[in-house]
Amino acid sequence: MNFSTSEENYMKAIFHLQQENSTVTTNRLAALLNARPASITDMMKKLKTKKIVHYRPYRGFRLTTEGNKIALGIIRRHRLWEYFLSEKLKFTWDEVHDIAEDLEHVSSKKLIDKLDAFLGYPRFDPHGDPIPDHQGKIEKNRQLALSEVPLNKTVIVCHVSDQSSPMLELMKHNNIHMGTRLEVKKKFSFDQSLEIKIRQQAPFTVSNQVAKKISVKYGT
Amino acid sequence: MNFSTSEENYMKAIFHLQQENSTVTTNRLAALLNARPASITDMMKKLKTKKIVHYRPYRGFRLTTEGNKIALGIIRRHRLWEYFLSEKLKFTWDEVHDIAEDLEHVSSKKLIDKLDAFLGYPRFDPHGDPIPDHQGKIEKNRQLALSEVPLNKTVIVCHVSDQSSPMLELMKHNNIHMGTRLEVKKKFSFDQSLEIKIRQQAPFTVSNQVAKKISVKYGT
DNA sequence: AAATAAGTTTAGACAAACCTAAATTAATTA
DNA sequence: TAATTAATTTAGGTTTGTCTAAACTTATTT
């Protein structure tokens, strides 16, 4: 079956909300999609008849097995394009999301598989999110928050949950981006701040609050 | 201003029809776009208020200067994506059109300019059609029909006007594609057929009819 | 267990982009 | 030039995806 851009955006949004909670509500989806609750209800009825979501009025909804598969396909497209934009076209990692948002709806399977091959089958996008393979399989990236990292272990920045400007500012200022390798040198117990060291740079400190928003994985 | 996918398709179609004739009619556009004449009229009214076309009922229409500029931008996107698909993703040149048809509507200027740079500022797409530059300027490709080529001059295949299956068949069979370098060795006056030689291949003949449909340009 | 608040759905409208069928205009021919 | 034909436009309808405002459920308080 073939889906409209709008339907695809709904599926993707439900998928993301489901990561946290198993059942998704009208209002939460409306907030995420910048739409009115009434519009959500309309679309849920439609997606229900298409067997994409389980839905009973007033009881929230979740993707069916089929819906999940389709959502993973959309996310695959999104993340491969993000990787392309960042790696090949040299966009900065904060610019890629919006453009990928459009490109992801071009739905030729062959295009995406060839793009995947051209990019060398990357497993993570520039934000550190895993890219589903052509069967929709996702590699779990054992991530942990920077705030949880043991001292003197080299870790790689692979996700930032807060994309607000102050956060981006702070990252840029300290030269942190996707793929940055760093170590936690000290943990100050009085205010829980961390001293961070990036190779060949002066150390600096970040608050625990900020460190919670930066995910890393082990690596050299 | 921002345009819908549909508006963009209309502009592009008018642009193409204008290449032959200066003024375009409802029926011709309807045929090209696979739409009903009534739909064309609706859209022309809309594009007129947006100052994209000159239009007086029953008198046909043509793009305004502004409309022309926009159309060139769309064609630029289309042809850059075609080039990308063929050159980087290794699609065959007959597969690229339909996919580019979708990609062309992703309208970030920055995306297209970066893509252009990534591709090395190509000047012709895989069908041999010129790619407008970032200002909309088109390089005129001094093309001529294969049937007009002087003997023993190396030329490069850069356009095929007939995309029917028999033609594609014939091209494939003789190993002719975009960019193929060849020479005309003999012209048989009794039936006007041509003997063609591609480097490191046995010579073969093609009829004058076929040779008229293959455009080439000079080059080594 | 009512009453209230919060969340959700229904009813009805609207714009975009199509369509069909009927009416109109322009072009052609007798 | 009047009649016929071909092309175009108008009128009105459909689908998709959105919206607002009102009605209805469910959850939470008192």
Side-chain angles (χ1 to χ4, degrees), chain B residues 19-71:
Chain B
Q19 299 304 112
E20 302 152 35
N21 258 306
S22 77
T23 172
V24 179
T25 67
T26 304
N27 267 1
R28 286 216 297 150
L29 194 50
L32 185 59
L33 287 170
N34 264 122
R36 294 307 144 124
S39 310
I40 306 299
T41 302
D42 286 351
M43 185 59 96
M44 286 312 108
K45 285 189 207 160
K46 194 172 155 205
L47 291 184
K48 185 188 173 159
T49 71
K50 291 197 177 190
K51 304 256 175 80
I52 296 304
V53 296
H54 297 292
Y55 167 55
R56 286 186 45 226
Y58 296 101
R59 292 277 110 119
F61 28 81
R62 58 180 211 288
L63 293 169
T64 61
T65 309
E66 180 64 12
N68 215 274
K69 209 159 76 183
I70 298 165

Side-chain angles (χ1 to χ4, degrees), chain A residues 5 32 59 61 126 139 175 203 217:
Chain A
T5 295
L32 185 59
R59 291 279 109 118
F61 27 81
E139 169 160 339
N175 214 4
K217 58 185 180 189

Side-chain angles (χ1 to χ4, degrees), chain B residues 184-200:
Chain B
V184 177
K185 286 303 188 183
K186 285 181 200 150
K187 296 189 179 187
F188 300 108
S189 53
F190 70 102
D191 68 347
Q192 301 193 294
S193 65
L194 309 172
E195 185 178 294
I196 305 293
K197 178 77 179 71
I198 300 181
R199 221 180 340 175
Q200 295 174 323

Side-chain angles (χ1 to χ4, degrees), chain A residues 47-126:
Chain A
L47 291 183
K48 186 188 173 160
T49 71
K50 291 197 177 190
K51 305 255 174 80
I52 296 302
V53 296
H54 297 292
Y55 167 56
R56 284 186 45 225
Y58 297 101
R59 291 279 109 118
F61 27 81
R62 59 180 209 288
L63 292 169
T64 61
T65 309
E66 179 64 11
N68 215 275
K69 211 160 73 184
I70 296 166
L72 280 166
I74 301 163
I75 287 162
R76 167 172 162 78
R77 300 189 312 235
H78 181 94
R79 292 183 180 163
L80 281 172
W81 282 119
E82 282 196 341
Y83 188 93
F84 169 75
L85 294 171
S86 152
E87 199 65 22
K88 301 290 181 181
L89 300 196
K90 309 300 178 193
F91 277 94
T92 60
W93 66 280
D94 52 306
E95 294 174 301
V96 301
H97 181 83
D98 290 345
I99 301 176
E101 202 74 8
D102 289 338
L103 288 167
E104 76 189 9
H105 300 295
V106 176
S107 60
S108 153
K109 169 97 171 113
K110 192 168 182 184
L111 167 64
I112 296 307
D113 290 346
K114 274 181 178 278
L115 178 65
D116 196 12
F118 173 65
L119 298 174
Y121 306 102
R123 288 174 4 271
F124 299 95
D125 78 8

